[in-house]
Amino acid sequence: MSTPPPGPLSGPPLAGGIAGPDALRPLLAVVLDALHEGAVARGGPFPAGGPDAVAARVREAAEPVLPDRGTGAEDALRGLVRTLAHGAADPADPLCVAHLHTSPLALAVAADLAASALNPSMDSWDQAPAASELEALVCRALAAEVYPHQAGPDALVTTGGTESNLLGLLLARERRGAVQVICGAAAHHSVHRAAWLLGLPEPVTVPTPSGVLDLAALDKALADLPGPLLVAATAGTTDTGRIDPLPEIADLCGRHGAELHIDAAYGGPLLFSAEHRGKLAGLERAQSVTLDLHKLGWQPIAAGLLAVPDRALIAPLAITADYLNADDDTEAGLPDLLDRSLRTTRRPDILKVAVTLRALGRTGLGALVDRTCAAAQQLADLVEEHPRLDLYERPVLSTVLFRPTGATDEQTAGIRRTLLADGRAVLGRARADGRLWLKATLLNPHATPGDLAALIQEVLIELVKGSTPR
């Protein structure tokens, strides 16, 4: 006699289906309250007390990690979300400016909740019918922003600049063979890592004495090195936000028969700005372009893309797995998604991007970019006007490097670590011209002149106190 099927499950509800929203609604209230409580407890841009204090609070909230009997949904949510918020670096605070780490738009976070609840897996059409079509539409539209004069541009969704750079080098290798990569000293570290992962020669590093690729040195390298060659240029360096001279680099690549990949993970969203998009002239001449919308696009992580001028260029990624894209299914018209990524299971990260693009439009996103870049110029003004601070250079994007006049590198590092330990401000660090600089990477379009002045004031307070390294 067969065992009858079990009756209705009494237990934690699922997020999907008709009943899913009702199950989520009370839990969301708990999460939102816990986020608020954690932010109030933190009381600033960063948790005070350093690593030991943060670790102690996390252990208190999270242990035992796997109890014999669970504490229940509300208790677990409230305790752990509150603790995570208390111990978070909060990029929504104007004094949290260390990295290319943005506070996402509320509407993008709301869209990401829907993506998590529906949980499409973007590796076969029968798991993600609508999401796969939405991804195709949005990817083509964004690729057309990079390549406006091409007939069939396309883009692939990635986890960010590292994956996009890896894909760019991989596709170049499949087209040209074992390419010799040439990049500037300020190129992102992922370019070197991608070459290593792909079994390519170690990239040749060209000097960047002015912060960007030196054209004469690049010309010589292209002339001296055996092919095939791939130049990896940068539109928005991590340390300074500088943009390589893209039109001239593209000219040199054409003259020497080299391909061009541009890492525009930081600077790419300037395309949305009528005021700033001219800084990206030459972008459309690359064989591949890295973009990140979880930087100057205000998306929750992750929201990366790799754009190419012709969708045929992604053909090397094609692979068949009978349970996901059997030949007869594809021939019958079911879309094949396995050539859209190196990953198999992946989230529908395109939903939050699509919602943001449709809600704000080009002018709305462009306005956010413009306001953020303007704030960087205002911060640079404040630094230049103060007799006890030195400015490295006028910002190109939204990164400002500065340091106390006459301070040693040790004193500069000490100021940064003291502000972190006290939870008062989160500044980055960068080395340029042989010296250590404080780095402010502005990504908050709501930062006011008063906020910028407060950031400067925190540094000056520590300068007067004579901070020593912690």
Side-chain angles (χ1 to χ4, degrees):
M1 177 182 245
S2 61
T3 303
L9 176 67
S10 61
L14 302 178
I18 295 174
D22 289 335
L24 280 169
R25 194 168 283 113
L27 298 176
L28 290 180
V30 174
V31 167
L32 295 175
D33 286 346
L35 286 171
H36 174 76
E37 292 164 7
V40 170
R42 186 180 63 245
F46 200 75
D52 290 343
V54 172
R57 287 193 294 268
V58 172
R59 285 194 298 269
E60 182 181 358
E63 292 180 340
V65 173
L66 184 62
D68 287 336
R69 296 181 65 85
T71 63
E74 290 194 13
D75 179 82
L77 271 174
R78 185 177 299 280
L80 288 173
V81 172
R82 184 187 186 281
T83 300
L84 196 66
H86 185 177
D90 183 8
D93 190 300
L95 272 63
C96 184
V97 292
H99 301 285
L100 286 162
H101 175 206
T102 188
S103 180
L105 296 167
L107 68 93
V109 172
D112 220 23
L113 169 64
S116 292
L118 294 168
N119 207 32
S121 183
M122 304 294 291
D123 52 309
S124 68
W125 184 84
D126 59 356
Q127 298 175 82
S132 61
E133 178 62 22
L134 182 64
E135 181 177 272
L137 289 172
V138 176
C139 282
R140 290 196 295 265
L142 288 172
E145 293 294 311
V146 179
Y147 299 106
H149 306 300
Q150 298 294 331
D154 203 352
L156 302 174
V157 176
T158 72
T159 54
T162 294
E163 185 184 349
S164 294
N165 287 338
L166 175 64
L167 275 173
L169 268 62
L170 169 63
L171 294 176
R173 186 193 71 179
E174 295 306 293
R175 287 191 300 271
R176 303 287 298 274
V179 291
Q180 172 64 67
V181 179
I182 306 170
C183 63
H188 194 261
H189 64 81
S190 62
V191 172
H192 291 265
R193 177 173 285 186
W196 169 66
L197 285 169
L198 295 169
L200 299 175
E202 173 67 20
V204 171
T205 301
V206 172
T208 55
S210 62
V212 296
L213 268 170
D214 183 81
L215 292 173
L218 177 61
D219 190 17
K220 185 176 188 308
L222 288 168
D224 292 347
L225 290 167
L229 302 173
L230 173 70
V231 175
T234 307
T237 60
T238 304
D239 279 347
T240 65
R242 298 277 293 184
I243 297 173
D244 285 334
L246 304 179
E248 293 82 0
I249 291 172
D251 288 343
L252 288 175
C253 287
R255 188 180 311 154
H256 293 282
E259 290 203 351
L260 175 61
H261 168 74
I262 299 176
D263 179 358
Y266 182 8
L270 296 189
L271 289 168
F272 300 128
S273 165
E275 179 180 351
H276 293 288
R277 68 176 295 141
K279 295 176 181 178
L280 297 179
L283 196 71
E284 73 286 352
R285 297 173 64 183
Q287 278 69 47
S288 54
V289 174
T290 288
L291 302 171
D292 270 7
L293 294 179
H294 53 239
K295 294 182 173 69
L296 278 174
W298 295 279
Q299 298 300 295
I301 298 167
L305 295 135
L306 179 80
V308 293
D310 189 325
R311 64 178 58 97
L313 294 176
I314 67 172
L317 298 179
I319 191 170
T320 299
D322 196 62
Y323 76 107
L324 294 174
N325 63 343
D327 289 341
D328 58 317
D329 277 350
T330 303
E331 291 165 5
L334 299 188
D336 177 2
L337 306 187
L338 283 188
D339 63 351
R340 304 295 304 176
S341 179
L342 290 175
R343 294 169 286 147
T344 304
T345 303
R346 58 188 181 90
R347 300 182 74 248
D349 286 317
I350 206 66
L351 176 59
K352 61 200 174 194
V353 175
V355 168
T356 301
L357 296 177
R358 187 160 176 81
L360 300 185
R362 183 180 288 103
T363 55
L365 278 166
L368 294 178
V369 171
D370 292 346
R371 284 160 57 180
T372 303
C373 291
Q377 297 295 331
Q378 292 166 4
L379 180 60
D381 290 341
L382 292 174
V383 172
E384 280 191 321
E385 292 164 4
H386 201 284
R388 299 196 65 182
L389 297 174
D390 293 336
L391 179 70
Y392 175 66
E393 65 181 6
R394 298 298 304 186
V396 176
L397 295 177
S398 66
T399 298
V400 180
L401 299 189
F402 66 102
R403 56 179 283 130
T405 301
T408 65
D409 286 355
E410 184 179 49
Q411 290 168 328
T412 302
I415 288 172
R416 174 180 174 271
R417 285 195 289 270
T418 296
L419 293 174
L420 275 180
D422 294 344
R424 290 154 46 203
V426 190
L427 283 161
R429 54 186 288 163
R431 189 162 292 279
D433 288 347
R435 295 185 292 170
L436 185 68
W437 299 78
L438 299 172
K439 179 173 71 169
T441 308
L442 302 182
L443 291 177
N444 187 337
H446 299 297
T448 67
D451 295 327
L452 304 176
L455 178 64
I456 294 293
Q457 187 61 29
E458 292 291 352
V459 172
L460 293 173
I461 288 171
E462 290 308 311
L463 181 60
V464 170
K465 287 165 56 177
S467 280
T468 57
R470 294 191 181 186

